[in-house]
Amino acid sequence: MDPLSALREFTMRGELDKIVKLNGEFRFGEEYSFPCSVETAYRSTKGNRYTLETLVHYVKNHHLKHTEYFQNTFALGIPSVTLPDRKPILHYLQGTLASTDSIEYRPEDPSFAPTPIIPSIPISLDQPPNKPDDTEIDFMALIRAAEKPLKDRESLLECKNRDFYSVLVAATKREEERQRIESHQRKDGLVAKSRLMGGDDRGGGFGDDLGYDPNPKPKMHLKGSKIGEGVPIILVPSAFQTLITIYNVKEFLEDGIYIPTDVKVKQMKGTRPDCVTVQKKLSRDRVVAAYEVRDKPSTLKPEDWDRVVAVFVLGKEWQFKEWPFKDHVEIFNKIIGFFIRFEDDSMESVKTVKQWNVKIISISKNKRHQDRAAALDVWDRLEEFVRSRSHS
């Protein structure tokens, strides 16, 4: 009896559960025993002969989808049955197919000879085993002897329908796109600087080189507007209890990414900026709108307060102490207010803010890809407010 015939016999009899793996061998009940790594007479479409271990594992797991089956064999380190061979092998082992050209018997191969199963002899605990010596068995050596390498470092690099040239081209395109975006951002920064510094009266300034009007007055400053001349101002709290501060406001409004204040403080090595310039970069609008962000209202002059268009509120009454307004109603009629909170914080944190005319915007504690939508919401509401205030 060869291993392939023995496996077919037990499969047709529905006795696969009697095929047990023990010490590197498959025992077919009390009838046959073969090494797990013995090659059977079934030759695959690739030319190699399937081992008994491969066929036993397949016939016991043929119900799995090919992808799941392949992942399972890979995890166990067992060579898998190829997709074209799955049905023919299963039909042959189950008896629906009498024979196939893929079967090539080689009687001269001694590996086909089954190993007789020697019944175990119970050993009495009162007597030592009848053994000439206590020779240790090197199980690791037996395992290594049965191993067959599936991949080497060259075959691992092979991939169907893919080559390294296409990967290189794709990576090059991504790098070119990244450089183009960075170049555009640097160009926007020069335009903002030109507007803030007043441009070059002699011509040939930043705005002329890039095709922009170097006039330092933002377009929203119309004649007769209630907004003061110059760059508009956004105020943020100086306290660390709020999510948006002078440290992280630039990344949030320009890049749409929230970075905790303590992280930014470490990155900036404790350097506290007095003023930060931010621009709207999250849209395709080529017109750059620059804003100054400050966190010390006490340093503002009376004419500076005319330029204040927005404030990120802390949610505490003392934030507005000594502001040149009589109450919250006047403040949030002339200045748009924003309160940034974590979406899973308790509603107690917005109890006071809800009584004010303030826009409450929630962000996630962990899902940073959602920050962009929150930043765009701030920009949309801010620009709408500025337009309405400019035309009032």
Side-chain angles (χ1 to χ4, degrees):
M1 178 67 68
D2 66 276
L4 181 63
S5 300
L7 179 58
R8 186 169 189 259
E9 177 182 328
F10 273 66
T11 303
M12 294 174 62
R13 282 161 36 184
E15 297 179 349
L16 289 175
D17 58 319
K18 293 185 178 181
I19 303 177
V20 180
K21 186 176 181 180
L22 183 65
N23 296 331
E25 292 184 341
F26 279 116
R27 295 196 173 188
F28 290 70
E30 298 294 330
E31 301 177 41
Y32 315 108
S33 177
F34 299 95
C36 296
S37 60
V38 65
E39 292 184 340
T40 67
Y42 204 105
R43 187 175 295 278
S44 75
T45 53
K46 292 185 177 181
N48 61 294
R49 289 193 295 173
Y50 287 116
T51 64
L52 179 60
E53 185 174 33
T54 294
L55 295 184
V56 170
H57 180 268
Y58 167 65
V59 76
K60 289 186 175 183
N61 297 275
H62 68 86
H63 59 281
L64 297 177
K65 293 182 179 179
H66 189 68
T67 303
E68 298 175 354
Y69 162 72
F70 180 79
Q71 293 175 346
N72 180 260
T73 56
F74 182 80
L76 296 175
I78 301 174
S80 60
V81 172
T82 62
L83 182 60
D85 289 337
R86 284 177 60 109
K87 285 187 178 180
I89 288 178
L90 185 62
H91 290 166
Y92 174 74
L93 294 177
Q94 291 178 341
T96 57
L97 187 64
S99 182
T100 172
D101 295 336
S102 299
I103 299 177
E104 297 178 2
Y105 282 105
R106 301 196 315 193
E108 70 279 3
D109 191 337
S111 63
F112 280 172
T115 303
I117 297 179
I118 302 174
S120 58
I121 301 175
I123 300 175
S124 173
L125 297 177
D126 298 332
Q127 295 180 349
N130 185 16
K131 188 176 180 182
D133 54 27
D134 294 332
T135 304
E136 293 185 359
I137 300 175
D138 189 349
F139 291 102
M140 292 304 298
L142 295 176
I143 293 174
R144 292 191 184 98
E147 287 181 344
K148 287 189 176 182
L150 300 178
K151 294 279 187 179
D152 57 27
R153 63 182 181 181
E154 293 184 2
S155 59
L156 279 173
L157 298 176
E158 297 176 357
C159 189
K160 287 186 178 181
N161 304 322
R162 295 295 299 273
D163 58 80
F164 282 104
Y165 178 74
S166 61
V167 175
L168 175 62
V169 170
T172 303
K173 287 183 178 180
R174 287 195 296 269
E175 179 63 19
E176 290 175 350
E177 177 66 14
R178 184 187 66 80
Q179 293 180 359
R180 185 190 67 78
I181 293 174
E182 289 183 354
S183 175
H184 181 66
Q185 290 177 346
R186 286 194 297 269
K187 186 182 296 183
D188 286 347
L190 292 177
V191 175
K193 182 177 179 181
S194 173
R195 293 187 173 189
L196 291 174
M197 299 302 293
D200 189 347
D201 295 338
R202 296 171 297 174
F206 294 114
D208 292 340
D209 292 340
L210 302 175
Y212 293 98
D213 180 6
N215 189 342
K217 298 179 182 180
K219 289 187 175 182
M220 59 187 176
H221 295 162
L222 303 178
K223 186 176 181 180
S225 166
K226 292 186 178 181
I227 299 179
E229 295 296 337
V231 178
I233 296 174
I234 300 173
L235 295 177
V236 296
S238 58
F240 279 17
Q241 298 96 311
T242 183
L243 297 185
I244 301 300
T245 65
I246 195 76
Y247 292 95
N248 62 4
V249 66
K250 190 174 183 69
E251 284 79 9
F252 180 69
L253 291 181
E254 287 194 352
D255 304 324
I257 300 175
Y258 171 73
I259 302 176
T261 296
D262 57 342
V263 176
K264 285 298 299 180
V265 170
K266 291 180 181 178
Q267 292 176 357
M268 299 171 68
K269 298 181 179 179
T271 304
R272 184 188 188 90
D274 294 328
C275 177
V276 173
T277 301
V278 298
Q279 309 161 47
K280 182 180 180 182
K281 294 182 179 180
L282 299 179
S283 68
R284 296 181 179 179
D285 186 4
R286 295 295 300 275
V287 178
V288 178
Y291 293 80
E292 290 181 10
V293 181
R294 302 187 186 185
D295 67 346
K296 296 179 180 178
S298 59
T299 63
L300 296 181
K301 300 176 182 179
E303 59 269 24
D304 293 333
W305 279 103
D306 293 335
R307 294 191 287 130
V308 177
V309 294
V311 57
F312 285 84
V313 302
L314 178 62
K316 306 294 183 181
E317 293 281 353
W318 54 261
Q319 181 183 0
F320 309 107
K321 187 179 181 181
E322 298 181 358
W323 280 38
F325 304 98
K326 61 180 182 180
D327 54 26
H328 297 109
V329 176
E330 183 181 3
I331 291 176
F332 297 120
N333 278 338
K334 294 184 178 181
I335 302 172
I336 185 170
F338 296 101
F339 180 74
I340 309 297
R341 64 182 290 271
F342 285 131
E343 58 187 5
D344 53 352
D345 283 351
S346 66
M347 295 305 295
E348 187 68 23
S349 62
V350 296
K351 183 177 180 180
T352 302
V353 178
K354 275 192 170 184
Q355 301 174 16
W356 305 339
N357 183 20
V358 169
K359 310 300 180 184
I360 300 175
I361 296 178
S362 300
I363 63 175
S364 172
K365 283 187 177 179
N366 303 309
K367 301 174 183 177
R368 297 279 65 84
H369 63 279
Q370 297 180 1
D371 296 342
R372 181 183 176 89
L376 282 172
D377 192 12
V378 172
W379 280 116
D380 291 343
R381 294 176 182 273
L382 174 58
E383 291 178 338
E384 182 183 357
F385 175 80
V386 168
R387 282 193 298 268
S388 63
R389 179 173 160 180
S390 298
H391 290 85
S392 61

